[in-house]
Amino acid sequence: ASTINEAMKQAAVNAIAGLARETPSDVAARAYGGEARLFGKDSLIPAPFDPRLILRVAPAVAMAAMESGVATRPIADFPAYCERLERFVFRSGFVMRQIFAAAKKAPKRVIYADGEDERVLRASEVLIEEGIAKPILVGRPAVIETRLKRYGLSIRPGRDFDVVNPEDDPRYRDYVQTYVEIAGRRGITPDAARTLVRTSTTVIAALALRRGEADAMICGLEGRYRAKLRHIRDIVGLAPGAREFAAMSLMITSRGIVFLTDTHVQAEPSAEAMADTVLMCAAHVERFGITPKVALVAHSDFGDFDTPVTLRMRSALAMIHARAPNLEIDGEMQADTALIEAVRQRKLPSSTLKGEANLLVMPGLTSANVAYQVMKVFGDALPVGPILLGTAKPAHILTGSV
């Protein structure tokens, strides 16, 4: 703009005033020790830490500058400008946009095992406001009500979402019976089932999913990943044709996005299991609107070091070529070879992988999880997932660091 005029100032004030009346963001709440600062005599303007400020104020001021004739470079595509701002503020915005758009067309019932957790309550409000999903929370209604008020959230149980109360739900006996029927030959006695349906929110969520009372489930904010996985295996089960679960994590970095597998499930997959995992992951990457470019990553490049790991990867590659001849994949190769095409061209000009790999298949759980954790901390990567693949119905286990 050639100047800052009164119209632009007024637009900024209006945008700030509008945001002040909205539900405080989780970022702003954390800045004040977890307590929400609601609009009123103690809080007249939004917290300076609120990332939504730039999303409200910048477009309002830009529009005012254009309408008042002082904009030197008018914005031709305003929705695209707002999308760029959103990607700047929320790095996951671009890759998740079409997932959200598809979800809004037919919102699904998602049951959250950790329904009393602040992160779940805040996420539920966003899901409801955006029309992305219909949350079902497992938790004590009184606790949920108290925490909603504490965090300044406007949603309410019964009106905006359903609650499954582990202490008193009319479906308790039905859930116990279902659990015994499906897991009785896996060591779950009637007494154990009665106890778990009262005490394990993961078991409750998995049973609701199995019975068709929810379309998907999310758990894992509290407790161990392997324990949650065991419940999902017993209750939800494997998808037809799947021989094992696998976990894939999406990492959003300043450089771009990359998927890692298997970050949480299979310790030392066989060649057959690795091939299964690659095909499941590649199909899921396509759901993000991304063409999978797969690299089998190890300590050697294209056969220059024979070890049990590299031999297993070469066997897996042959199986994948036979089952999915059109999938763009190569290996085994080192990580820099996978991510830098110039390096790969020097080592093997005839490689069937072109450009940068976006799906890195690690030789085992240790290497995959270490890479995931290092990228998250030192690479300042934003993780999405882990995404659990191979389940009969959508069921995902988060980690406590979400």
Side-chain angles (χ1 to χ4, degrees):
S2 57
T3 186
I4 298 176
N5 59 24
E6 291 302 313
M8 296 165 66
K9 295 176 185 177
Q10 186 66 50
V13 169
N14 291 340
I16 291 171
L19 181 57
R21 290 173 169 81
E22 293 186 24
T23 302
S25 73
D26 58 338
V27 176
R30 286 197 299 270
Y32 291 102
E35 293 295 328
R37 296 168 66 92
L38 302 177
F39 177 74
K41 62 184 180 66
D42 296 323
S43 181
L44 295 176
I45 62 174
F49 310 100
D50 197 324
R52 297 173 299 176
L53 275 168
I54 192 172
L55 300 178
R56 302 290 195 277
V57 176
V61 172
M63 181 63 74
M66 292 167 57
E67 291 176 347
S68 60
V70 298
T72 56
R73 290 185 295 172
I75 299 170
D77 189 340
F78 217 77
Y81 166 73
C82 292
E83 284 188 16
R84 288 197 301 274
L85 278 180
E86 189 171 339
R87 291 201 300 271
F88 173 76
V89 176
F90 304 109
R91 286 180 291 171
S92 63
F94 179 72
V95 69
M96 296 300 294
R97 183 168 299 281
Q98 76 174 42
I99 299 294
F100 293 151
K104 288 179 181 180
K105 292 179 180 178
K108 302 297 184 182
R109 301 163 299 168
V110 181
I111 187 164
Y112 289 85
D114 304 293
E116 298 175 2
D117 191 283
E118 178 185 357
R119 293 163 290 184
V120 169
L121 296 175
R122 291 189 179 281
S124 296
E125 175 142 301
V126 173
L127 293 174
I128 292 166
E129 288 181 347
E130 298 292 331
I132 295 172
K134 300 173 182 176
I136 303 169
L137 306 189
V138 181
R140 295 161 294 177
V143 174
I144 291 173
E145 284 272 16
T146 299
R147 292 182 179 179
L148 287 171
K149 293 174 182 176
R150 179 192 304 169
Y151 305 136
L153 303 176
S154 61
I155 57 174
R156 291 292 177 267
R159 184 189 71 191
D160 302 301
F161 60 91
D162 293 329
V163 174
V164 178
N165 182 359
E167 295 180 343
D168 182 21
D169 191 278
R171 295 165 292 186
Y172 172 73
R173 293 182 184 278
D174 293 335
Y175 276 33
V176 169
Q177 182 63 33
T178 300
Y179 197 12
V180 172
E181 288 174 358
I182 60 180
R185 292 185 178 276
R186 298 190 186 96
I188 300 300
T189 64
D191 285 343
R194 281 189 285 270
T195 299
L196 287 167
V197 173
R198 280 279 189 237
T199 59
S200 173
T201 57
T202 300
V203 167
I204 294 170
L207 287 167
L209 179 63
R210 173 71 180 245
R211 289 163 54 87
E213 296 166 7
D215 302 306
M217 70 167 281
I218 294 177
C219 63
L221 292 179
E222 300 291 340
R224 298 289 186 180
Y225 190 97
R226 307 304 296 191
K228 312 295 182 186
L229 185 65
R230 186 161 51 249
H231 290 317
I232 290 174
R233 186 185 303 277
D234 285 347
I235 299 170
V236 180
L238 288 162
R243 289 180 279 193
E244 179 56 288
F245 297 133
M248 179 175 70
S249 297
L250 165 59
M251 311 300 289
I252 302 173
T253 72
S254 57
R255 176 190 174 97
I257 66 169
V258 65
F259 295 86
L260 305 178
T261 194
D262 180 347
T263 54
H264 289 80
V265 178
Q266 299 183 51
E268 294 183 4
S270 65
E272 294 80 4
M274 192 176 295
D276 290 345
T277 296
V278 168
L279 296 179
M280 286 194 296
C281 289
H284 207 83
V285 168
E286 290 179 342
R287 297 184 64 187
F288 285 86
I290 298 169
T291 300
K293 293 176 175 288
V294 189
L296 304 181
V297 181
H299 55 271
S300 71
D301 278 312
F302 306 112
D304 68 358
F305 191 179
D306 291 343
T307 66
V309 166
T310 58
L311 294 174
R312 191 165 67 243
M313 283 193 152
R314 290 170 213 164
S315 296
L317 182 62
M319 296 176 192
I320 295 164
H321 280 317
R323 294 169 61 183
N326 295 324
L327 179 63
E328 190 172 341
I329 181 173
D330 210 344
E332 84 284 1
M333 66 183 80
Q334 295 180 354
D336 61 338
T337 307
L339 297 172
I340 304 172
E341 185 174 25
V343 173
R344 189 164 61 254
Q345 284 297 307
R346 287 199 300 270
K347 294 180 177 180
L348 186 67
S350 62
S351 172
T352 53
L353 178 64
K354 306 301 178 186
E356 292 185 11
N358 54 27
L359 172 54
L360 303 183
V361 181
M362 303 294 181
L365 177 60
T366 298
S367 55
N369 193 267
V370 168
Y372 164 76
Q373 302 292 355
V374 170
M375 286 183 67
K376 185 171 64 174
V377 177
F378 281 97
D380 193 29
L382 178 66
V384 176
I387 302 165
L388 186 60
L389 305 174
T391 55
K393 294 184 177 182
H396 302 288
I397 308 170
L398 303 180
T399 62
S401 61
V402 169

